[in-house]
Amino acid sequence: MSRWIKNFILRMLCFFVSVFYRMNRKKIFFRAYNGLRYACNPRAISEKMHEMDPDMEIVWSLNDVNDVAEIPDYVRIVKKKSFAEYRELFTSKFWVLNAGIMIPCKRKGQIYMDTWHGDRAFKNVDKTSDGSSLLSEAYKCADVILSGSDYGDEIIRRSLNPYAEILRCGSPRNDVFFQDYTHKADSVRKALNLEGFDKILTYAPTFRGNGVAADMLDFSYLADELEKRDGKKWGILIRQHHKVKMLPEWKTDSRIVDASKYPEMQDLLLISDVVISDYSSLVGDYVLLNRPVVLYVPDLDDYKSSRGLNFDVEKSPFKYAKNAKDLFQTIIDFNESDAPENCKQILDFYGHVCETGHASEQACQWILDRV
């Protein structure tokens, strides 16, 4: 079905709902990662909103309406692309999303907040043949977009929406990093059966566009070397992107745990003592914890030419390696006491990072001021 036909149908749905249903100024429609899961910045705002105003109606759109393990009872769930979803969408005064929405219109008076999911993103936003952003259509209805840095502001203006208001509050999903998360970390370790490990290393590569997993690495060897180094038992978490499958070879060592289906990435960062990633914006979040992070980028040259990056990794403050030998040696030799200074350099690189632990509250207050 062509985009023109889809937009026509959506406009008719909006018109139909507008005629037969009133808009509710005390209702918020939430969706994260296009309905993938109850997670990320929208989840943090949803939970904070219920805390600040329990009378606010909260609706979530999900691909799988049976995936409700961590969803509170006060949340109403609708299936994505159902009539119920469009009814809730066009009767909610507020929308809170994190990946844009391919909707050509809103009702008069509706307000759309997008939190994005990569304020400190590496990857270029895909472009059309005429050089315009493929995400520009998904963000053209946005009234306000959350940012946490000068760098984030630039990405929003260049690739998402040059006219939307920018709310400089940081990423709500990162608020947990500024709280006492001891109990939270213990519960995450228990949920993943990691209580027997002293230290955790997480490998979380991003999606490369071809649907295959990232390079196979000998994490058993790395765990052995780390245990020799400090005499502590290391567990390895593998967090693959949701569009790729876990490599079965990684499951042969009991110290290696597949955390790909765990719903909240920030929980995994909380319990990680070291993180390996590549071009994922999660490293821009993780450095807030002042812990070691290393980029594994064996395909850096190909990635730069095919997908494109927003900055030159080799000229940035990030520690990186282009092959497994250098990666493992960098991690084994890394002095944890040097991590805070390296993390500060990375945050300074992004420019005026404004993560304070109050992003959810600020986003909610912005909404409540407009009820």
Side-chain angles (χ1 to χ4, degrees):
M1 186 184 298
S2 71
R3 172 52 52 189
W4 185 89
I5 295 175
K6 288 180 180 178
N7 284 346
F8 176 78
I9 293 172
L10 289 169
R11 288 182 186 279
M12 290 300 99
L13 277 169
C14 179
F15 175 76
F16 176 83
V17 172
S18 300
V19 169
F20 291 99
Y21 297 91
R22 289 185 177 182
M23 185 171 67
N24 185 345
R25 67 183 183 86
K26 294 278 287 183
K27 182 165 70 173
I28 309 176
F29 175 91
F30 288 89
R31 196 166 77 190
Y33 301 116
N34 295 311
L36 179 67
R37 58 171 67 103
Y38 174 71
C40 196
N41 295 316
R43 174 178 177 171
I45 294 172
S46 175
E47 293 175 356
K48 177 59 73 171
M49 180 59 75
H50 182 70
E51 178 185 318
M52 293 175 67
D53 185 355
D55 294 329
M56 188 71 77
E57 287 187 44
I58 293 176
V59 180
W60 270 79
S61 169
L62 295 171
N63 296 330
D64 182 1
V65 294
N66 296 312
D67 184 15
V68 297
E70 296 195 352
I71 301 180
D73 292 339
Y74 59 79
V75 172
R76 184 161 67 252
I77 302 168
V78 291
K79 186 171 179 59
K80 186 185 174 188
K81 293 186 177 179
S82 65
F83 177 74
E85 182 198 37
Y86 292 117
R87 184 181 64 228
E88 298 287 4
L89 180 71
F90 290 123
T91 56
S92 299
K93 179 170 182 179
F94 301 98
W95 304 350
V96 177
L97 314 172
N98 77 340
I101 185 168
M102 298 300 282
I103 293 288
C105 59
K106 298 180 296 187
R107 287 178 71 165
K108 183 178 180 180
Q110 286 192 304
I111 297 174
Y112 165 24
M113 170 185 284
D114 202 284
T115 69
W116 191 219
H117 57 272
D119 177 73
R120 293 173 282 283
F122 283 57
K123 297 169 284 189
N124 278 346
V125 173
D126 289 334
K127 305 286 184 179
T128 60
S129 57
D130 65 0
S132 61
S133 168
L134 284 175
L135 281 178
S136 60
E137 183 175 358
Y139 278 82
K140 70 179 182 181
C141 288
D143 296 289
V144 61
I145 303 175
L146 272 54
S147 173
S149 63
D150 292 344
Y151 178 90
D153 289 1
E154 181 184 346
I155 299 300
I156 290 168
R157 288 286 177 248
R158 185 177 73 228
S159 301
L160 304 184
N161 186 321
Y163 308 110
E165 178 183 344
I166 292 178
L167 180 60
R168 282 290 293 265
C169 63
S171 297
R173 67 188 183 191
N174 291 334
D175 288 350
V176 66
F177 295 160
F178 297 86
Q179 302 163 2
D180 181 0
Y181 50 76
T182 304
H183 177 72
K184 178 71 171 177
D186 288 343
S187 66
V188 175
R189 280 175 166 269
K190 184 176 181 179
L192 292 169
N193 296 316
L194 300 172
E195 295 167 295
F197 296 107
D198 302 308
K199 296 277 192 175
I200 301 295
L201 180 148
T202 294
Y203 177 46
T206 192
F207 177 56
R208 278 165 168 71
N210 52 13
V212 300
D215 285 355
M216 182 65 183
L217 292 167
D218 188 354
F219 283 112
S220 295
Y221 165 79
L222 180 58
D224 289 341
E225 292 301 307
L226 289 172
E227 288 172 1
K228 289 178 187 177
R229 185 192 71 180
D230 54 26
K232 296 181 179 180
K233 189 173 182 181
W234 281 78
I236 309 291
L237 290 184
I238 308 295
R239 170 72 169 204
Q240 288 280 30
H241 193 279
H242 65 268
K243 292 184 179 179
V244 299
K245 294 181 179 180
M246 176 75 173
L247 289 176
E249 293 87 347
W250 272 330
K251 299 180 181 179
T252 59
D253 187 329
S254 61
R255 295 172 298 180
I256 301 174
V257 177
D258 180 9
S260 301
K261 293 184 178 180
Y262 189 86
E264 193 60 70
M265 185 67 223
Q266 305 320 90
D267 289 357
L268 303 183
L269 298 182
L270 276 180
I271 65 170
S272 299
D273 296 283
V274 181
V275 162
I276 303 171
S277 190
D278 42 25
Y279 316 108
S280 173
S281 63
L282 70 87
V283 297
D285 295 343
Y286 186 65
V287 294
L288 295 169
L289 292 168
N290 288 321
R291 300 175 193 168
V293 59
V294 182
L295 308 182
Y296 178 52
V297 288
D299 58 347
L300 179 59
D301 294 334
D302 289 340
Y303 201 93
K304 282 194 291 187
S305 61
S306 61
R307 176 64 188 266
L309 296 170
N310 290 319
F311 59 87
D312 189 339
V313 170
E314 295 174 285
K315 294 180 180 179
S316 76
F318 284 102
K319 296 185 180 297
Y320 68 93
K322 290 186 175 182
N323 59 68
K325 180 181 178 181
D326 289 347
L327 171 68
F328 289 171
Q329 201 60 52
T330 298
I331 293 170
I332 293 166
D333 293 343
F334 197 89
N335 188 335
E336 290 187 20
S337 64
D338 294 335
E341 179 58 29
N342 182 233
C343 291
K344 181 181 183 301
Q345 292 170 351
I346 293 169
L347 291 172
D348 288 345
F349 172 77
Y350 285 114
H352 299 97
V353 173
C354 58
E355 302 280 1
T356 64
H358 299 288
S360 300
E361 181 180 353
Q362 288 178 254
C364 288
Q365 193 59 57
W366 190 96
I367 291 171
L368 291 171
D369 288 344
R370 290 158 178 80
V371 170

